[in-house]
């Protein structure tokens, strides 16, 4: 069982998490908190993490040569291939272990971190390959809903109405018109996988999922709602608050899919309208000044309601029916 | 150990796959593409039958093949892959990364024309697109050489002063699917020759964590490139040592280039790959007719053996260079390299550039004879790119 935050904090007051202070991510960025949560649980459970990163904010800000914020083995290869790279690392481990070239008793955790661009879009093929082949790697997506490293461009995860530089909210077009790609369903559809969402506002849920993912006998995937304070135009102390709103408005439901079995891990008794989530962030400001703002928000609300109902139905329908 | 050689008639693909079986890398990640496919197929069979203890990753693309091989090599494993043409092009981004991480990866490349239009047959456009990637590049004439240099490449790649990836180029179909007698060395001898990989800074060593692939800005990137340049220079220094050991172990001699009937040759043809066999045949014919001709085969294209070429070509009457690829808007790659090498020699030969065999077009003895005749007749223009076997 994972310990609570206080215990973890006490434990890691005395030892290394694996990522140290001194990185150059924006204050308030969700990405380093995501990493810390994952690494703390992994280390607490006695795993030796070996970490891979996709190109993006987290990567460029933590390893500016000759400095590195990582005190565990780390590899960055390119933008779209962290899953393939970690497939290679994990396979090397199995091969060398079988040949007796490395100690058998060491408990490695192979962890890949990628932004939404590197996961939903350019890196989707490599992720799919890794999951399909069954590499025992935990893939952690920090979802900040845009290409932030390159300056707030649209990604497959950007919600409609959010102002980005490649799909700006303009006089004619209301920004991106498409909804977010449903990455968890895509990964879960590989069937032999543990896939879940997590939020920085629900650490206990987060920790439990990391533990499940690491102990899962196969590939696992964690989609973490990870605010980008810079381009979401929120103040740097609002990371957790925004994350909480996302969960409370059905925008980011907390659930998991284990070999096809759905489980909603947090069921708020009451939901807030998604409008509150939208209004709390500057990235939707331009949308709000458009005459069709209410229509767009209503559409989003309707979609979120339907998706929530569907999630509950899936939970009911798949109970005790693992697909593999 | 006794050198009992087994002589068998095999395709180049089977020869290479056998070298890989004997090397028995820890990890092979690969994706099929004609004409490389049989290499992966043979190797997958070795894995399936338990002949090797290699872990194979049947990836979903060449981009992932190279990515996984980079991950595996950084983790501390001996890792290999193989590809052709568009597969190599898809790897391109990671081919550079592999070299800059100084990972000793060995990759047979079965040369094939690069799309488009799509064409599955041999030329060297795929390899030439990677010539500045920081990989050592060998080109082979025969299946024996494909086998030998795959084995030798492991030692060169892993040498502590080099630590660079190596591409072993063999001509698509002509070698990969063509059957030739090949002498296979005993497994034990090959295993002993390649030895154990001594990984540097492996990711799996959690006691000594390192950061691979950091962000490297203008304050250090340049110095790191300089180190890569040094490593390439070192490859030139180290290669003869390894080649000598190879010769002592297996009885076959390799060097940067192979001179053929060059001692008194006035007219020399320079080429890469299997076409050298045809060139040698024509050299023999022309010699019988009393012409002082010879050939210079380039085994190692990167690093480019400039000094050796200068030494061997200085003072010849003429040098014709055959290229199986082009550089649009500039001189063909091998010609350009040979020509620039000869700028500094005391007695510069006349030069001629001949492009042939694109997309698998046949290169026949009469084409080669024609190029030699141009040389013998003094009919060469250094600035003119000519074509062999092209309908005009
Ligand atoms: C092949 C390739 N295309 C484009 C880029 C440029 N690029 C680097 S990071 C990035 C966006 C990263 O976005 P995301 O994955 O969402 O991570 P974030 O920066 O938001 O954390 C892009 C487009 C690249 N490095 N490689
Ligand atoms: S730009 Fe956004 S994602 Fe990038 S470091 Fe800043 S807050 Fe984090």
């Amino acid at each position: 069982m994972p310990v609570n935050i206080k215990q973890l904090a006490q434990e890691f007051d005395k030892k290394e998490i694996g990522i140290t202070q001194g990185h150059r991510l924006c204050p308030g960025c969700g990405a380093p908190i995501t990493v810390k949560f994952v690494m703390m649980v992994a280390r607490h459970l006695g795993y030796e993490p070996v970490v891979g990163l996709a190109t993006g904010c987290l990567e460029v800000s933590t390893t500016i040569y000759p400095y590195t914020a990582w005190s565990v083995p780390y590899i960055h290869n390119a933008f779209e291939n962290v899953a393939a790279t970690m497939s290679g690392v994990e396979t090397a481990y199995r091969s060398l272990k079988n040949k007796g070239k490395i100690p058998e008793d060491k408990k490695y955790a192979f962890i890949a971190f990628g932004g939404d661009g590197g996961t939903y879009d350019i890196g989707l093929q490599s992720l799919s390959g890794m999951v399909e082949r069954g590499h025992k790697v935990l893939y952690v997506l920090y979802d900040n809903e845009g290409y932030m490293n390159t300056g707030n461009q649209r990604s497959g995860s950007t919600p409609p109405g959010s102002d980005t530089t490649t799909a700006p909210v303009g006089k004619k077009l209301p920004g991106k018109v498409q909804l977010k790609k449903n990455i968890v369903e895509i990964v879960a559809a590989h069937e032999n996988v543990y896939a879940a969402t997590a939020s920085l506002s629900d650490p206990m849920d987060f920790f439990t999922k990391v533990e499940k993912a690491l102990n899962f006998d196969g590939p696992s995937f964690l989609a973490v709602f990870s605010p980008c304070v810079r381009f979401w135009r929120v103040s740097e102390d609002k990371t957790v608050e925004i994350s909480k709103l996302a969960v409370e408005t059905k925008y980011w439901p907390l659930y998991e899919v284990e070999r096809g079995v759905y489980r909603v891990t947090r069921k708020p008794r009451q939901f807030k309208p998604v409008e509150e989530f939208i209004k709390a962030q500057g990235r939707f400001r331009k949308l709000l000044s458009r005459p069709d703002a209410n229509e767009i928000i209503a559409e989003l609300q309707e979609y979120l309601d339907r998706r929530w109902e569907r999630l509950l139905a899936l939970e009911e329908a798949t109970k005790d029916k693992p697909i593999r | 150990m006794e050198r009992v050689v087994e002589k068998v008639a095999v395709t180049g693909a089977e020869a290479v796959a056998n070298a890989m079986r004997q090397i028995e890398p820890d990890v092979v990640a690969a994706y099929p593409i004609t004409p490389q496919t049989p290499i992966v197929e043979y190797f997958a069979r070795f894995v399936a039958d338990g002949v090797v203890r290699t872990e194979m990753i049947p990836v979903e693309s060449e981009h992932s093949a190279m990515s996984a091989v980079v991950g595996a090599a950084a983790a501390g494993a001996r890792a290999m892959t193989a590809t052709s043409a568009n597969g190599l092009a898809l790897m391109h981004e990671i081919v550079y990364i592999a070299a800059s991480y100084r990972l000793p990866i060995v990759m047979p490349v079965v040369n094939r024309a690069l799309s488009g239009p799509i064409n599955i047959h041999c030329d060297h456009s795929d390899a030439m697109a990677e010539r500045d990637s920081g990989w050592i590049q060998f080109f082979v004439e025969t299946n024996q050489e494909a086998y030998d240099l795959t084995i030798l490449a492991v030692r060169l790649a892993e040498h502590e002063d080099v630590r660079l990836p190596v591409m072993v180029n063999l001509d698509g179909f002509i070698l990969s699917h063509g059957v030739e007698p090949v002498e296979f060395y005993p497994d034990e001898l090959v295993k002993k020759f390649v030895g154990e990989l001594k990984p540097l800074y492996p990711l799996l060593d959690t006691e000594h964590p390192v950061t691979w692939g950091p962000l490297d800005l203008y304050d250090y990137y340049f110095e790191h490139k300089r180190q890569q340049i040094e490593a390439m220079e070192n490859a030139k220094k180290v290669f003869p040592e390894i080649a000598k050991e190879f010769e002592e172990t297996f009885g076959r001699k390799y060097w940067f280039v192979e001179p053929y009937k060059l001692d008194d040759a006035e007219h020399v043809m320079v080429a890469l790959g299997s076409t050298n066999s045809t060139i040698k045949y024509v050299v023999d014919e022309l010699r019988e007719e009393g012409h002082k001709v010879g050939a210079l085969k380039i085994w190692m294209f990167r690093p480019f053996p400039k000094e050796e070429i200068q030494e061997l070509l200085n003072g010849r009457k003429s040098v014709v260079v055959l290229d199986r690829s082009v550089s649009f808007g500039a001189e063909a790659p091998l010609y350009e390299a040979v020509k620039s090498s000869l700028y500094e020699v005391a007695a510069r030969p006349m030069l001629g550039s001949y492009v042939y065999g694109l997309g698998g077009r046949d290169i026949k003895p009469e084409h080669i004879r024609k190029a030699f005749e141009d040389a013998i007749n003094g009919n060469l223009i250094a600035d003119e790119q000519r074509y062999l076997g092209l309908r005009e």
Side-chain angles (χ1 to χ4, degrees):
Chain A
M1 271 304 288
V3 285
N4 62 39
I5 293 186
K6 200 172 155 210
Q7 279 172 304
L8 271 182
Q10 279 166 349
E11 184 180 342
F12 287 97
D13 194 30
K14 289 178 230 104
K15 69 178 184 192
E16 288 257 342
I17 300 171
I19 182 169
T20 65
Q21 67 276 43
H23 58 70
R24 303 182 197 185
L25 289 142
C26 304
C29 176
I33 314 177
T34 301
V35 173
K36 273 179 200 164
F37 278 9
V38 173
M39 301 290 282
M40 279 166 110
V41 176
R43 306 275 279 182
H44 168 69
L45 296 171
Y47 284 100
E48 294 280 1
V50 175
V51 165
L53 252 76
T55 312
C57 265
L58 180 62
E59 168 261 333
V60 301
S61 308
T62 54
T63 63
I64 306 178
Y65 190 88
Y67 305 106
T68 180
W70 297 87
S71 56
V72 292
Y74 164 107
I75 184 166
H76 160 251
N77 190 343
F79 187 16
E80 60 291 313
N81 65 355
V82 65
T85 307
M86 292 310 283
S87 298
V89 173
E90 186 261 356
T91 306
Y93 156 72
R94 277 188 286 115
S95 178
L96 295 177
K97 195 175 73 168
N98 290 344
K99 289 182 176 179
K101 292 184 189 173
I102 50 166
E104 278 213 21
D105 48 352
K106 208 180 256 185
K107 209 166 120 185
Y108 285 98
F110 299 104
I111 307 172
F113 290 99
D116 44 292
T119 306
Y120 284 81
D121 301 337
I122 198 168
L124 185 61
Q125 171 187 304
S126 150
L127 170 62
S128 173
M130 179 196 98
V131 176
E132 181 266 326
R133 291 187 303 269
H135 297 278
K136 196 167 161 24
V137 175
L138 163 58
Y139 191 109
V140 181
L141 151 71
Y142 65 100
D143 191 348
N144 54 29
E145 308 198 317
Y147 301 166
M148 298 324 189
N149 175 45
T150 38
N152 190 29
Q153 292 85 23
R154 161 213 202 277
S155 84
S157 164
T158 305
S162 164
D163 194 37
T164 57
T165 58
T166 49
V169 178
K171 292 198 185 81
K172 185 157 176 276
L173 295 174
K176 185 183 163 187
V177 289
Q178 302 87 359
L179 288 161
K180 266 170 95 89
K181 210 190 262 186
N182 194 332
I183 192 74
V184 176
E185 298 261 327
I186 292 171
V187 175
H190 289 71
E191 298 182 351
N192 190 28
V193 58
Y194 173 82
T197 59
S199 165
L200 303 178
S201 60
D202 290 64
M204 287 312 297
D205 179 74
F206 193 129
F207 297 161
T208 312
K209 284 169 177 170
V210 174
E211 179 172 12
K212 271 196 173 180
L214 286 172
N215 292 340
F216 185 73
D217 172 29
S220 51
F221 179 82
L222 202 59
V224 182
F225 189 73
S226 180
C228 164
V229 292
R230 166 104 176 76
F231 290 114
W232 293 13
R233 315 286 182 212
V234 293
S235 74
E236 59 198 47
D237 57 353
K238 290 284 184 282
T239 311
V240 174
E241 209 169 291
I242 290 290
S243 302
K244 196 161 173 231
L245 260 180
V247 176
E248 288 172 347
T249 56
K250 297 181 195 160
Y251 185 80
W252 189 261
L254 294 178
Y255 68 105
E256 62 186 14
V257 193
E258 188 172 347
R259 294 203 169 97
V261 178
Y262 282 70
R263 217 168 64 78
V264 182
T265 58
R266 172 124 191 265
K267 293 178 185 159
R269 234 169 279 144
Q270 266 189 330
F271 286 105
K272 294 178 174 169
V274 74
E275 197 174 350
E276 277 191 39
F277 175 73
I278 301 272
K279 287 189 168 159
Q281 303 166 55
R283 61 174 164 153
F284 297 106
R285 195 174 301 135
K286 276 200 189 156
L287 170 78
L288 293 172
S289 63
R290 283 178 59 95
D292 57 356
N294 287 340
E295 253 170 72
I296 292 169
I297 296 170
E299 261 175 49
L300 182 61
Q301 183 68 60
E302 197 198 323
Y303 166 73
L304 297 177
D305 291 342
R306 268 187 283 135
R307 196 177 56 167
W308 179 257
E309 290 307 318
R310 188 170 174 277
L311 262 182
L312 294 179
L314 280 168
E315 181 179 47
E316 190 54 37
T318 59
K319 200 162 43 184
D320 306 323
K321 289 194 197 71
I323 200 151
R324 287 202 197 175
Chain B
M1 230 172 290
E2 215 189 326
R3 177 148 44 93
V4 188
V5 227
E6 192 194 349
K7 194 162 185 166
V8 271
V10 288
T11 63
E14 192 173 350
V16 168
N18 260 289
M20 290 171 70
R21 173 183 62 75
Q22 294 178 317
I23 295 162
E24 199 178 357
D26 302 307
V27 175
V28 167
Y31 194 77
I33 178 169
T34 305
Q36 173 271 143
T37 308
I39 298 181
V40 207
E41 290 174 339
Y42 279 117
F43 198 76
R45 166 110 351 248
F46 293 142
V47 175
D49 288 341
V51 175
V52 290
R53 292 170 307 158
T54 305
E55 289 287 333
M56 191 151 174
I57 319 180
V59 278
E60 81 293 342
S61 76
E62 288 88 351
H63 193 285
S64 285
M66 186 47 67
S67 303
V69 162
V70 163
R78 187 176 267 161
M80 293 179 77
T81 182
T83 194
S84 286
N86 292 46
L88 183 58
L90 186 59
M91 287 178 179
H92 175 73
E93 181 194 23
I94 317 303
V95 166
Y96 272 68
I97 293 173
S100 77
Y101 291 9
R102 307 280 302 275
L103 292 170
I105 295 161
V106 172
M107 171 165 69
V109 171
V110 185
N111 299 121
R112 157 180 158 179
L114 214 42
S115 294
I118 189 167
N119 175 302
I120 57 167
H121 291 283
C122 175
D123 71 34
H124 296 154
S125 50
D126 53 359
M128 289 304 159
E130 305 303 326
R131 73 186 157 156
D132 296 328
S133 62
W135 284 56
I136 293 165
Q137 290 185 319
F138 285 120
F139 281 82
V140 306
E141 180 190 334
T142 62
N143 291 348
Q144 182 72 49
E145 292 181 9
Y147 168 75
D148 286 353
L149 285 178
T150 302
I151 295 166
L152 192 150
V154 175
R155 285 289 299 281
L156 186 58
E158 293 176 6
H159 192 283
E160 56 181 3
D161 296 338
V162 179
R163 304 294 295 193
L164 285 176
V166 185
M167 234 173 252
V168 180
N169 291 283
L170 59 147
D171 285 348
F173 288 111
I174 301 163
L175 295 183
S176 64
H177 290 60
V179 175
E180 284 179 351
V182 173
E183 286 184 2
F184 287 144
Y185 313 123
D187 293 356
E188 282 316 304
L189 214 54
V190 175
K191 286 203 180 344
K192 186 153 173 271
F193 179 79
V194 295
E196 289 279 319
L197 166 73
K198 289 182 205 74
L200 279 183
Y201 315 112
L203 283 168
L204 294 176
D205 180 2
T206 51
E207 268 85 62
H208 305 95
V210 286
T211 292
W212 284 81
L215 180 65
D216 199 17
L217 300 175
Y218 39 67
D219 41 3
Y220 287 97
Y221 181 86
F222 206 172
E223 282 72 27
H224 290 146
K225 287 295 129 179
R226 173 58 193 258
Q227 290 179 352
Q228 256 179 277
I229 294 166
E230 295 288 320
M232 265 290 179
E233 289 301 319
N234 289 349
K236 280 182 83 171
K237 290 191 200 113
V238 162
F239 174 61
E241 287 168 31
I242 297 173
K244 186 158 171 273
E245 200 184 320
F246 189 94
E247 188 186 351
E248 283 161 9
T249 314
F250 303 117
R252 268 201 181 75
K253 191 177 165 69
Y254 286 96
W255 199 43
F256 302 101
V257 293
E258 185 191 44
Y260 184 73
K261 302 201 171 165
L262 216 54
D263 289 346
D264 63 341
E266 293 172 349
H267 311 285
V268 183
M269 189 171 280
V270 183
L272 299 165
S274 63
T275 305
N276 280 290
S277 295
T278 322
I279 296 173
K280 287 172 183 170
Y281 172 82
V282 176
V283 165
D284 291 349
E285 276 188 350
L286 288 169
R287 283 255 167 201
E288 269 172 39
E289 294 164 27
H291 298 289
K292 287 187 175 168
V293 293
L296 184 63
K297 173 169 83 186
I298 311 288
W299 262 319
M300 187 188 260
F301 183 67
R302 280 293 182 276
F304 195 68
K306 186 174 157 179
E307 293 79 23
E308 289 72 19
I309 284 171
Q310 287 176 333
E311 206 171 295
L312 289 165
L313 298 185
N314 183 17
R316 309 287 175 179
K317 270 197 187 144
S318 63
V319 169
V320 290
V321 183
L322 263 56
D323 269 280
R324 200 159 197 158
S325 62
V326 289
S327 177
F328 299 102
E331 290 170 345
L334 182 60
Y335 179 67
E336 185 185 61
V338 171
K339 186 181 178 187
S340 92
S341 300
L342 296 183
Y343 179 78
E344 295 157 29
V345 299
R348 276 188 228 155
M350 277 207 298
L351 288 169
S353 170
Y354 290 82
V355 167
Y356 74 99
L358 299 189
R361 175 64 52 85
D362 256 3
I363 175 83
K364 295 179 179 160
E366 58 256 39
H367 300 135
I368 289 165
R369 177 178 267 273
K370 168 78 179 64
F372 264 127
E373 280 168 1
D374 284 352
I376 293 163
N377 298 333
N379 168 25
L380 292 177
I381 301 171
D383 265 345
E384 187 178 290
Q385 182 167 289
R386 295 175 183 168
Y387 302 93
L388 298 174
L390 175 75
R391 291 190 299 272
E392 303 219 59

